Each structure stands twice: as structure tokens, then as C-alpha cells.
Amino acid sequence: QVQLVESGGGLVQAGGSLRLSCAASGRTFSMWTMGWFRQAPGKEREFVAAISWSGGTTSYADSVKGRFTISRDNAKNTVYLQMNSLKPEDTAVYYCALDWNFRRVGSKPSEYDYWGQGTQVTVSS
């Protein structure tokens, strides 16, 4: 059984920063691809960023490139999303997700097998 628990969300002014964390429990964390997705009210869940099991490969949505950074600490079973220069359009519930297939770094929600409960990020203008 795998559990993912996100934390670090909150309310921030435009231009500010937040750091999200996702703690994983269960089987060997280091062998999984991890991703971050977000969902705003009335919109579909969208890809934000993903990282390979080694941390050597990362992928970002165009909308967050240069502002967000995904990283992981396999010793702590934790993946992070550092979000800088936040914009009101970044407001959403942010979810971390796990893909058993460590050979890919995917951007589709259907490619991920486990999901956290989500953490709210609200950016005020």
C-alpha cells in the first residue's frame, strides 16, 4: 500500500513563493517517478512537473517553466515543488502522484497510479 501526503499549501500574494512537500510511505520510494498536478475549480487536472526516480530527469509544463522547481530526497521519501513568482492563475489544489513505471517521466494523469489528497494554493492579486 502506498500513501502520499501533501503539505505546504496556503495563501500567498502574487510574486511570492511556496514550497510544497509530498511524503510517501510504502514500497521503495526511490524506484518511482513522481509528479505534481493541479486542478482549479471548473477545470481539468493539469500537469505541473515530474521527476525521474534518480532525479536526473525533470519535466515541466510551459506555464511554470523558470518559476517552479521539482526535486526529491529519496532518503526522506519526499518530493518537493518550489514555486516562485507565483501568479493568481497558479491558484488550484495541488496533487502529488506516483507512477510505478520508473522508465518514463509522464505528463498525463492516467499514467500515475497513486495520488495524494491535495493541498490548496491560493495566490492573491
Side-chain angles (χ1 to χ4, degrees):
Q1 186 72 15
V2 173
Q3 287 188 325
L4 303 175
V5 179
E6 301 98 334
S7 61
L11 173 64
V12 65
Q13 288 188 333
S17 298
L18 282 174
R19 188 194 196 199
L20 305 183
S21 300
C22 174
S25 62
R27 294 173 61 183
T28 309
F29 175 76
S30 61
M31 293 302 294
W32 306 330
T33 291
M34 298 296 296
W36 285 97
F37 291 77
R38 65 187 182 186
Q39 188 166 18
K43 295 188 177 181
E44 293 187 352
R45 191 166 297 189
E46 65 173 1
F47 172 73
V48 176
I51 188 167
S52 64
W53 68 272
S54 67
T57 300
T58 57
S59 177
Y60 295 93
D62 288 343
S63 59
V64 306
K65 278 181 182 176
R67 300 189 297 122
F68 291 11
T69 302
I70 188 171
S71 62
R72 66 192 294 164
D73 185 338
N74 288 341
K76 295 182 178 179
N77 287 357
T78 302
V79 63
Y80 305 97
L81 186 68
Q82 177 67 43
M83 305 186 295
N84 298 329
S85 302
L86 282 161
K87 304 175 181 180
E89 51 264 44
D90 294 318
T91 295
V93 176
Y94 283 70
Y95 299 90
C96 71
L98 179 154
D99 181 2
W100 286 123
N101 187 348
F102 61 88
R103 293 180 179 86
R104 68 183 171 201
V105 181
S107 61
K108 300 177 182 177
S110 60
E111 295 174 321
Y112 289 79
D113 303 287
Y114 290 94
W115 293 83
Q117 82 289 349
T119 185
Q120 177 69 47
V121 171
T122 303
V123 184
S124 64
S125 57

